[in-house]
Amino acid sequence: MSRIIFECWYCQQEILCEFTGEPVVGEYNGRTSIIQVKVQCPNSEQTAIRVSTGEVLSTIAIPSPWP
């Protein structure tokens, strides 16, 4: 399991995301490509970030770790 802390592109809410697994390889326009999983912001309900992983386990809004 891995974790990442990031800020939503739309509302600047800080988010803690836990994920696991290896990136999934698919096909795009006839070429091999890594499929990115969309992570939805719990505040704005928009796609906050995309990660190259197998599965997103949890997405939690947190107080800002940055001053």
Side-chain angles (χ1 to χ4, degrees):
M1 179 174 66
S2 299
R3 292 180 180 169
I4 185 171
I5 296 174
F6 60 94
E7 187 175 84
C8 175
W9 175 262
Y10 298 94
C11 70
Q12 285 73 48
Q13 170 67 54
E14 287 73 24
I15 300 169
L16 171 65
C17 180
E18 295 180 335
F19 56 93
T20 186
E22 295 295 319
V24 177
V25 178
E27 190 173 309
Y28 181 75
N29 287 338
R31 297 182 183 173
T32 303
S33 179
I34 294 177
I35 297 174
Q36 295 181 333
V37 178
K38 295 178 181 179
V39 178
Q40 187 175 15
C41 174
N43 190 34
S44 69
E45 299 183 0
Q46 299 283 335
T47 300
I49 195 172
R50 296 174 189 223
V51 291
S52 298
T53 187
E55 178 183 8
V56 174
L57 301 174
S58 67
T59 305
I60 303 167
I62 59 171
S64 178
W66 300 284

